[in-house]
Amino acid sequence: MTDGALRVAIVGCGNISRRHAEAYANTGRTELVGTADVVEEKARTLAGKYGATPYANVTELLAAEDPDLVSVTTPPGSHAEIAIEILAAGKSVLLEKPPVLSLAEMDAVAKAEQESAGSVFVVFQHRHGSGALRAADLLGRGALGSPLVAVCETLWFRPRSYFDPEWRGTWIGEGGGPTLGHGIHQIDLLLHLLGPWRTITATAVRLDRPVEFEDVSTASVIFESGAVATVINSLLSPRELSRIRIDTTGGTLEVNHVYGYSDQDWTFHPVPDAAKAAGLGLDPGVRTADDPADGEPGGADPWTASAGEDLPSNHDAQLGHLVDDLLAGRTHETTLAGTRPTMEFVTALYASAITGKPIDRADLTPEHPFYRALHGDLPKDELAKSFQPG
C-alpha cells in the first residue's frame, strides 16, 4: 500500500464500475483493495486489471478487507441494503446514481449513516465540472443576475434491447424510468444552480418502450425564488441532447452536451443593450447578422471573466474531488443529505404525474403515499392506466 493512499473497493462490477475504477486509478492516490459481484467472473476481471482481490459479495469483501471507501455500482434496487451493510462496518460509501429508489430508503440509509463512523456520498458528477462550479458561484452571488426562467432537457435514446436485462424496465430493479435513472443528472444540476423548488406539476407517459413505468416525462416547476422551469426526460430521442438553459435578469446561461460537458459547451449571452432591445421583434421572421442566435457570446461579462482551467464533468472530476477531500479530512459536498432535494423532486414528479395533481415539496412527509415507493404502492392496473397517453 502506498503511503497516504485511500483504500477503496467496488461492489457491483458491471459497466459503470469501470468508470469508478479508472477514476480512482487516475487520481494516483488510491489503492483498489477489493471488488465484489454476484457474477464472480465480473469481479475477477475488474480486480485483475487493478491488482485487487475479487469476492462473491459485499459481506465477504468487508470481512477480508479494510477499505476507507466503497463504491456501490450495483443495480439501483440493491443500493440501500448494500449501503446500510457497509455503514454498519464503519466504512464510507459512494452510491452511483440514482442513490436509492425512494425517500424511505434514503432516510433508512441516512439513519445508518448517523450510527456509523462512515459517511455517504452520491455520484452526481455534473456538479463537479468547472462549468458548473463557475455557474454555481456566479449565480449564487448574483453576478449573472437573478434567475427567472429555466429549461432542463434530457433527450436520450435507448433501444428496446436496452431493457433485455431482467432488472431493467421494472419498478423493483430500476425504481423508475428516465426521470429517475437518466434525467436525474440534469435535474440535480438544475437544483444545484437554482436552489430549493416549491411545486411540481407533471405528466409521465409510456409511448413505446417495454417498461412498467414512463419512457417520457415532463414537468412544470416553481422554485422558492419565484423562478419557473420546464423539465423533460425522454428515452425516445434519436438526436441525443442534455441541456440546461437559465434566463436571468442579466442574460442567458446555457449548457448543451450529452453525457458530460466541457467549458466549451457552456455559453452566456448578456442582456442586449437598450438600443438593440428596442428593435427586437420589429421585423418578425427576419434574421440579421447581429442576431444573438447567430453571434458568439463575448465581451467582458462575468461569465467570460471567470474562465479558468477546463475540468470536464465526468467521474474523474467528482472522484478526484472526493479522494482529495477524504485524504485532507474535508467534507465532500455531494453528500446523501445534500442530494435529498433531488430525490424529493423525482418523487414529486412521479406523484404528480400519477395522481394528476400538483405536488408541493412540503407535502413529502413519511405519511405521503409516494414516500415509500415512486409508484405509490398503487395496483398494477391502475399504474398502467396512469402512464397511458391521452
Side-chain angles (χ1 to χ4, degrees):
M1 175 175 172
T2 303
D3 289 343
L6 195 75
R7 294 169 59 85
V8 299
I10 298 175
V11 178
C13 299
N15 181 58
I16 200 64
S17 68
R18 294 194 292 272
R19 294 297 303 120
H20 284 242
E22 291 166 1
Y24 283 134
N26 289 342
T27 69
R29 298 181 301 283
T30 65
E31 178 188 6
L32 183 62
V33 299
T35 64
D37 198 288
V38 293
V39 180
E40 294 187 46
E41 179 58 31
K42 290 184 178 182
R44 284 194 295 270
T45 299
L46 188 63
K49 186 174 181 179
Y50 295 95
T53 303
Y55 296 94
N57 53 58
V58 64
T59 304
E60 290 185 8
L61 188 154
L62 292 172
E65 303 290 351
D66 186 30
D68 302 303
L69 175 69
V70 182
S71 279
V72 177
T73 58
T74 56
S78 62
H79 283 188
E81 180 181 358
I82 293 172
I84 289 170
E85 181 173 354
I86 295 168
L87 290 166
K91 309 303 180 185
S92 290
V93 182
L94 175 62
L95 290 173
E96 187 48 74
K97 66 80 188 169
V100 291
L101 299 190
S102 69
L103 292 175
E105 285 191 352
M106 179 164 267
D107 288 346
V109 174
K111 183 176 184 296
E113 182 182 26
Q114 291 175 350
E115 298 168 353
S116 172
S119 300
V120 185
F121 310 101
V122 179
V123 175
F124 280 125
Q125 69 267 29
H126 292 323
R127 295 188 185 192
H128 293 270
S130 51
L133 295 175
R134 291 165 60 196
D137 173 62
L138 293 169
L139 288 169
R141 54 190 175 88
L144 299 182
S146 300
L148 300 172
V149 181
V151 176
C152 178
E153 299 171 327
T154 302
L155 303 174
W156 290 1
F157 186 85
R158 294 295 183 271
R160 284 175 163 257
S161 60
Y162 176 80
F163 300 97
D164 287 347
E166 63 179 11
W167 61 273
R168 280 198 173 135
T170 68
W171 287 108
I172 293 176
E174 286 196 278
T179 307
L180 175 69
H182 301 82
I184 195 170
H185 274 305
Q186 294 295 103
I187 290 169
D188 180 76
L189 180 55
L190 180 74
L191 301 185
H192 185 58
L193 297 179
L194 293 190
W197 63 274
R198 189 174 70 211
T199 304
I200 292 176
T201 304
T203 299
V205 293
R206 179 172 57 249
L207 297 176
D208 185 77
R209 297 302 187 256
V211 296
E212 295 179 350
F213 28 66
E214 89 286 8
D215 50 22
V216 175
S217 69
T218 64
S220 174
V221 189
I222 302 173
F223 287 81
E224 287 187 3
S225 67
V228 296
T230 60
V231 176
I232 181 167
N233 308 289
S234 167
L235 293 183
L236 310 180
S237 305
R239 190 179 77 80
E240 294 190 306
L241 173 69
S242 302
R243 179 171 79 119
I244 290 178
R245 170 177 170 146
I246 301 173
D247 297 327
T248 75
T249 55
T252 294
L253 178 66
E254 186 169 0
V255 58
N256 289 270
H257 63 106
V258 179
Y259 301 138
Y261 60 76
S262 296
D263 274 2
Q264 65 184 4
D265 299 314
W266 292 77
T267 60
F268 182 71
H269 293 270
V271 168
D273 60 36
K276 187 170 185 178
L280 295 178
L282 294 182
D283 196 357
V286 176
R287 294 275 293 274
T288 61
D290 61 352
D291 192 309
D294 290 325
E296 291 293 324
D301 62 83
W303 177 259
T304 303
S306 71
E309 181 181 359
D310 185 3
L311 180 64
S313 65
N314 52 28
H315 280 74
D316 283 8
Q318 181 170 359
L319 271 64
H321 285 156
L322 176 59
V323 170
D324 285 346
D325 289 340
L326 293 180
L327 288 176
R330 298 188 297 263
T331 298
H332 183 70
E333 66 173 15
T334 312
T335 60
L336 183 74
T339 60
R340 197 176 199 280
T342 301
M343 278 301 299
E344 291 173 335
F345 186 104
V346 169
T347 302
L349 194 154
Y350 279 104
S352 176
I354 292 171
T355 64
K357 300 176 182 178
I359 302 295
D360 291 338
R361 185 181 176 193
D363 294 338
L364 299 175
T365 66
E367 291 73 38
H368 193 277
F370 286 77
Y371 172 81
R372 299 198 173 278
L374 295 180
H375 51 59
D377 287 324
L378 294 173
K380 285 188 176 182
D381 57 345
E382 187 174 339
L383 276 174
K385 290 179 181 178
S386 71
F387 292 113
Q388 292 176 354

